[in-house]
Amino acid sequence: MTDKSSATLAAARPLSSGAGLAWGLIGVVAFSFTLPFTRAAVEGLSPLFIGSARAVVAALLAALALGFTRQRRPEMVQWVRLGVVAAGVVVGFPLLTSYALVSVPASHAVVVIGLLPAATAVMAVVRGRERPGRSFWVFAALGTVAAMSFASLQNGGLGEFHEADLLLFLAVVLCALGYAEGGLLARELGAWQTVSWALIVASPLMIASTLVSIALEPPRAEPVEWAAFAYLAVVSMFLGFFAWYRGLAIGPIARVSQVQLAQPVLGILWSALLLHEAVGLPTVLGGLAVIACAGLAVRGRINRKDA
């Protein structure tokens, strides 16, 4: 591990959970533009291109950063864990949300993605082999029911799910897995190093997917759509993770994951301001219900741990 690794700094000088929350909040603000900008980008670019090419651009930046700072290579076991991170946050979440946002508004998607804090806590529990109290599981289940009910009602009635909602729910699961594993791995490799190596791991697949997307549907977009794509590639796929994984590395992961509760609110706000999407009472109530359940689930886990 090099002296420039943030993991080395954390080991030498332990930081408070308040620092973790602050770094996490910076990451969440950066991520809160992801779904609105993805919705803008799919107006002129194919979902496959957006989901894969953004990772290719980010991987180029990661290779430059790793090479310039001469970071040591991860060990074999760490490469496997980086594959898990890559599957969740580099491949799964970008591709699934890109396809989902072709047919649903960004304001709808951010409410379903509001399950991410509780899902991240669940993954942290499983990965850390902890035993949370019954209240954690109760509120996590209620949050899932609230999000599913919201999604179905938005699409015409209970039980009438859109295919996009299934993609969004799967994106939540994969992203939560990548967040939890990445947060643990960042304590060993460093925050920005973790996302950089994960991007390198996924780069062969993402390059191939990008070439396929260009062959199937050559990109033809307006400047505003390219600008949205640039944000997704540079910030959502790369720079935002510097702060986010730094916060998770300081931890505890479940406590830092609480700041994600602000992401649906911010996402709905950006959707209204930037995309001029109508935000009605059902969307607001659905968002509040999901946020409340996710918050109670995460809070229950933390109380159990601190007890």
Side-chain angles (χ1 to χ4, degrees):
M1 184 176 297
T2 70
D3 292 337
K4 297 178 182 179
S5 168
S6 61
T8 301
L9 296 176
R13 186 178 61 238
L15 299 176
S16 67
S17 60
L21 290 171
W23 281 108
L25 182 59
I26 294 173
V28 164
V29 172
F31 294 151
S32 68
F33 288 94
T34 299
L35 293 181
F37 281 168
T38 301
R39 186 68 182 88
V42 296
E43 293 296 326
L45 300 169
S46 72
L48 182 59
F49 178 85
I50 295 170
S52 55
R54 63 191 268 191
V56 173
V57 174
L60 291 174
L61 297 175
L64 290 174
L66 291 169
F68 182 77
T69 58
R70 298 182 179 179
Q71 297 293 314
R72 73 171 181 86
R73 293 177 179 274
E75 299 175 358
M76 182 60 66
V77 174
Q78 292 172 330
W79 280 116
V80 175
R81 296 169 62 192
L82 284 167
V84 174
V85 176
V89 303
V90 180
V91 180
F93 188 83
L95 285 173
L96 291 171
T97 53
S98 295
Y99 276 103
L101 285 164
V102 172
S103 54
V104 297
S107 56
H108 174 97
V110 296
V111 174
V112 180
I113 298 298
L115 280 171
L116 193 51
T120 302
V122 170
M123 293 301 178
V125 167
V126 173
R127 186 65 180 83
R129 298 180 182 178
E130 298 173 355
R131 296 182 179 179
R134 183 180 302 175
S135 63
F136 170 82
W137 300 113
V138 169
F139 288 119
L142 288 175
T144 302
V145 171
M148 294 175 66
S149 299
F150 161 79
S152 61
L153 290 172
Q154 287 287 91
N155 288 305
L158 195 61
E160 298 181 17
F161 282 96
H162 194 284
E163 179 184 355
D165 294 313
L166 298 177
L167 296 178
L168 291 171
F169 285 127
L170 182 56
V172 166
V173 173
L174 291 176
C175 189
L177 179 60
Y179 279 174
E181 189 63 44
L184 295 172
L185 198 53
R187 295 171 183 172
E188 304 170 19
L189 297 176
W192 71 267
Q193 294 93 332
T194 296
V195 66
S196 295
W197 287 119
L199 286 163
I200 297 299
V201 168
S203 60
L205 175 61
M206 294 294 95
I207 291 172
S209 297
T210 300
L211 294 176
V212 169
S213 69
I214 293 174
L216 294 176
E217 186 177 342
R220 294 186 181 89
E222 300 294 328
V224 66
E225 294 154 0
W226 280 117
F229 171 81
Y231 184 93
L232 296 174
V234 177
V235 180
S236 297
M237 198 78 265
F238 191 54
L239 295 180
F241 281 99
F242 284 33
W244 180 241
Y245 277 149
R246 176 64 168 160
L248 291 179
I250 296 171
I253 291 176
R255 177 176 287 117
V256 175
S257 71
Q258 288 184 99
V259 300
Q260 292 178 95
L261 298 174
Q263 190 166 334
V265 179
L266 292 173
I268 291 174
L269 177 62
W270 307 145
S271 299
L273 293 178
L274 301 177
L275 305 179
H276 307 292
E277 293 183 358
V279 178
L281 184 60
T283 298
V284 174
L285 293 179
L288 291 176
V290 172
I291 289 171
C293 292
L296 289 170
V298 174
R299 174 62 63 182
R301 179 208 184 273
I302 292 176
N303 290 340
R304 178 74 175 188
K305 181 178 181 180
D306 292 341

